[in-house]
Amino acid sequence: MTKTLPALAIHGGAGTVPAHQLDNESRAAYHEGLRTALRAGWKLLHAGAPALDAVMAAVKALEDDTLFNAGRGAVLTSAGRPEMDAAIMRGSDRAAGAVAGICGPRNPVEAARLVMEQSGHVLMMGKGAEAFLREVGMEFLPASYFETARRRAALELELARRASGAPDIRTDADRHG
Amino acid sequence: TVGAVARDVNGGLAAATSTGGYTAKRPGRVGDAPVIGAGTFADDASCAVSCTGSGEVFIRYTASAELAARVRLGREKLDEAASRLIAELGARDGEGGMITVGAEGAPVLVFNCSGMYRGYTDEEGVLWTAIHRE
């Protein structure tokens, strides 16, 4: 089989902090978080690993970084707790796995891959998904592990706005995390 | 929302997306990230895609499957198709972005809003990252 040139791209979300509000320290932290994820994926691709392993490694690195809205640092629902969604898909046979509305697995993308590889389904949601993930041995962390002061503050701001009826003038970052 | 797309040395493609949704969302609300063909898609015959943004719009327009179809049916090259599609989504209140990679060539990263945390590696593994339009 002919070899192709490997390639990897990532995103950390389109809800960015406006340029004029981003101080140099925060800017550097975002770039470093992105580079950490790129290194995690590229190391695998460079070693000849499948693309599926590379995208999972890169997304896990972003889920572990509280700057980004996924895994640890996920935004909070109006009920004050995180509900996380994730998906993964392989292009050779269109195998796919996804989870919706879960809280517990450190890395939701890894949960999605377990759904793909061990459940016989594509998409699993909520309590049923969590029960399956426990059955297959996934570690569960408390909701407090995922919450950050920044997301709690963004939630309180939004709930206060809704209560007051003021117009939604949030930045992308506050809305989309 | 975070995501990744990759092509390996055997030409295999893959995509992954993960999210907390948006701040103060209603419990039970699910956006495009876990919906295959909306926020996440991969098919070696066309491309791998991961999206971020107004999930309801990306679901209704099956954003990532739409991009793959335009490439697979040979109507447009990947970068042209992605740029056109993200602009079309923007015109329908679908604010956000997408990253994609095909069977050959460099990854494509497009967005229709003020910025997107993003990055890619070139064939030598040189890292490139950005936040706003830079």
Side-chain angles (χ1 to χ4, degrees):
Chain A
M1 167 177 261
T2 56
K3 294 300 178 192
T4 61
L5 288 173
L8 172 69
I10 62 171
H11 69 78
T16 56
V17 178
H20 64 279
Q21 289 181 15
L22 201 55
D23 59 50
N24 289 337
E25 187 182 338
S26 301
R27 186 185 305 276
Y30 276 109
H31 281 283
E32 186 49 33
L34 293 168
R35 280 195 290 268
T36 299
L38 285 172
R39 281 192 285 264
W42 179 256
K43 185 170 67 176
L44 292 170
L45 286 177
H46 191 60
L52 195 75
D53 293 351
V55 295
M56 192 165 91
V59 168
K60 283 176 71 173
L62 292 167
E63 287 174 335
D64 291 343
D65 188 327
T66 59
L67 283 176
F68 301 103
N69 172 21
R72 191 168 205 199
V75 298
L76 303 174
T77 68
S78 57
R81 52 179 275 120
E83 284 186 2
M84 291 165 269
D85 311 330
I88 192 165
M89 187 167 188
R90 181 173 52 214
S92 57
D93 56 359
R94 290 205 182 194
V99 289
I102 67 166
C103 183
R106 175 195 306 270
N107 295 111
V109 70
E110 200 162 22
R113 184 162 182 175
L114 282 171
V115 168
M116 175 176 111
E117 294 177 339
Q118 299 193 33
S119 77
H121 306 303
V122 173
L123 172 58
M124 292 190 77
M125 51 77 74
K127 294 299 173 211
E130 291 176 356
F132 161 74
L133 294 166
R134 288 182 197 276
E135 274 170 38
V136 294
M138 204 158 200
E139 179 197 5
F140 272 59
L141 299 170
S144 56
Y145 165 81
F146 300 94
E147 179 170 335
T148 61
R150 179 180 168 218
R151 301 303 189 199
R152 174 60 63 179
L155 174 65
E156 303 301 352
L157 196 67
E158 173 55 10
L159 295 179
R161 180 196 69 80
R162 290 183 185 179
S164 73
D168 188 353
I169 54 170
R170 284 176 295 164
T171 66
D172 281 353
D174 280 338
R175 189 180 307 128
H176 291 289
Chain B
T1 304
V2 304
V5 291
R7 180 181 64 231
D8 60 38
V9 291
N10 296 311
L13 301 179
T17 313
S18 181
T19 189
Y22 66 81
T23 301
K25 70 179 180 183
R26 182 188 300 271
R29 178 267 182 187
V30 178
D32 62 311
V35 179
I36 299 300
T40 307
F41 185 78
D43 179 354
D44 286 3
S46 55
C47 57
V49 196
S50 174
C51 301
T52 172
S54 314
E56 281 70 10
V57 178
F58 282 64
I59 292 174
R60 288 170 43 228
Y61 286 91
T62 64
S64 53
E66 175 68 22
L67 176 62
R70 293 184 185 190
V71 171
R72 189 175 68 250
L73 299 175
R75 275 179 40 187
E76 293 168 293
K77 288 176 46 255
L78 184 60
D79 55 351
E80 294 162 4
S83 298
R84 197 187 309 266
L85 180 56
I86 203 66
E88 289 171 18
L89 290 167
R92 296 180 171 104
D93 288 335
E95 197 179 64
M98 58 173 59
I99 60 172
T100 181
V101 66
E104 58 193 11
V108 177
L109 302 85
V110 292
F111 55 97
N112 59 30
C113 50
S114 56
M116 179 168 74
Y117 302 110
R118 62 199 186 280
Y120 69 88
T121 57
D122 68 12
E123 290 88 16
E124 280 75 47
V126 175
L127 311 184
W128 178 88
T129 59
I131 298 174
H132 301 99
R133 293 193 182 282
E134 48 205 282

